[in-house]
């Protein structure tokens, strides 16, 4: 009766989650038993965090489907023996999606492990830090075309401010600074400031239209519409993308040119705003 009452008066664009069971069996093979009601019919998945919830989204996590068809009663069994956790208490959230495509994230729940978790070796974290630093510092190779001439170039983008979204994987968008150096070009260096919007899509990580202003601090200043496709993630932290961009000058002595390049996106070094 209480569940029916909650469902009757709940908002149509919000899904409430009511746990029934959330525990791990005490013997090998260790199985996470999860069942819950929702305030409306929906699809559902669960995300287990290896060591707590990270605001930056950089924490190790495991994602499992629960209900692939709309339902208000959901249950699943998840084998844990081969998963790596950092603590005996495992945090998890439940992600729901309505028929209209509205996505909701539950509050943070947790359950206890009846065994000592397998802690990752410190060398793994050193490797991740070294990898992250190299990705953050190294510029990306790119190709620039201007007046039937082509040039090799290097580009480095730094997301400065990100805007939170309902997704735990990516922000809704971000502001960034970027520097491009085009080898053998008459105007080699360009500084940019721009905004990128992120839309997550099935089959890929995301698509991202964007716009930026650029300048070489001399005779070429303009605006750059662009389009990026997020291809895949590395270590759940960096997303490899390919980007196409056209540059339209505001200056009579400047020139228009196009660019194509690959890069890596990460929000770890960005300031997040609600």
């Amino acid at each position: 009766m209480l569940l029916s009452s909650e469902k009757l008066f709940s908002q149509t664009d919000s899904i409430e989650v009511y746990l029934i069971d959330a525990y791990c069996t005490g013997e090998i093979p260790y199985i996470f038993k999860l069942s819950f009601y929702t305030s409306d019919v929906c699809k559902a998945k669960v995300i287990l965090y290896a060591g707590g919830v990270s605001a930056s989204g950089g924490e190790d996590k495991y994602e499992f489907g629960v209900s692939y068809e709309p339902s208000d009663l959901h249950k699943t069994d998840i084998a844990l023996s081969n998963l790596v956790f950092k603590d005996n208490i495992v945090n998890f959230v439940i992600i729901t999606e309505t028929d209209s495509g509205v996505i909701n994230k539950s509050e943070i729940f947790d359950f206890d492990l009846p065994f000592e978790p397998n802690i990752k070796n410190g060398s793994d974290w050193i490797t991740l830090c070294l990898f992250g630093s190299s990705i953050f510092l190294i510029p990306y190779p790119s190709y620039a075309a201007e007046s039937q001439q082509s040039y090799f170039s290097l580009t480095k983008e730094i997301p400065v401010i990100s805007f939170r979204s309902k997704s735990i994987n990516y922000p809704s968008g971000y502001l960034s600074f970027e520097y491009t150096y085009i080898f053998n070009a008459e105007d080699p260096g360009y500084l940019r400031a721009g905004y990128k919007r992120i839309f997550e899509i099935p089959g890929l990580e995301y698509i991202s239209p964007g716009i930026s202003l650029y300048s070489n601090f001399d005779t070429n200043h303009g605006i750059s519409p662009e389009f990026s496709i997020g291809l895949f993630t590395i270590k759940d932290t960096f997303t490899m993308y390919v980007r196409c961009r056209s540059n339209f000058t505001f200056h009579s002595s400047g020139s228009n040119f196009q660019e194509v390049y690959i890069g890596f996106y990460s929000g770890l070094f960005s300031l997040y705003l609600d």
Side-chain angles (χ1 to χ4, degrees), residues 98-110:
T98 65
D99 287 336
S100 60
V102 177
I103 297 176
N104 287 277
K105 181 173 69 173
S106 73
E107 63 181 289
I108 302 171
F109 303 108
D110 62 74

Side-chain angles (χ1 to χ4, degrees), residues 139-165:
Y140 318 134
S142 51
Y143 167 88
E146 175 188 356
S147 301
Q148 298 182 344
Q149 297 290 325
S150 60
Y151 304 92
F152 174 75
S153 60
L154 292 175
T155 296
K156 183 59 195 173
E157 179 188 47
I158 300 178
V160 179
I161 299 177
S162 297
F163 302 95
R164 297 189 188 278
S165 67

Side-chain angles (χ1 to χ4, degrees), residues 131-140 156-159 238 266 269:
F131 176 78
S133 298
S134 64
I135 292 297
F136 181 71
L137 296 174
I138 295 177
Y140 318 134
K156 183 59 195 173
E157 179 188 47
I158 300 178
F238 296 92
S266 175
F269 310 101

Side-chain angles (χ1 to χ4, degrees), residues 178-196:
E178 188 173 343
Y179 183 78
T180 298
Y181 187 86
I182 304 175
F183 292 87
N184 300 321
E186 183 177 350
D187 298 320
Y190 292 88
L191 182 66
R192 306 175 189 274
Y195 174 75
K196 281 78 172 175

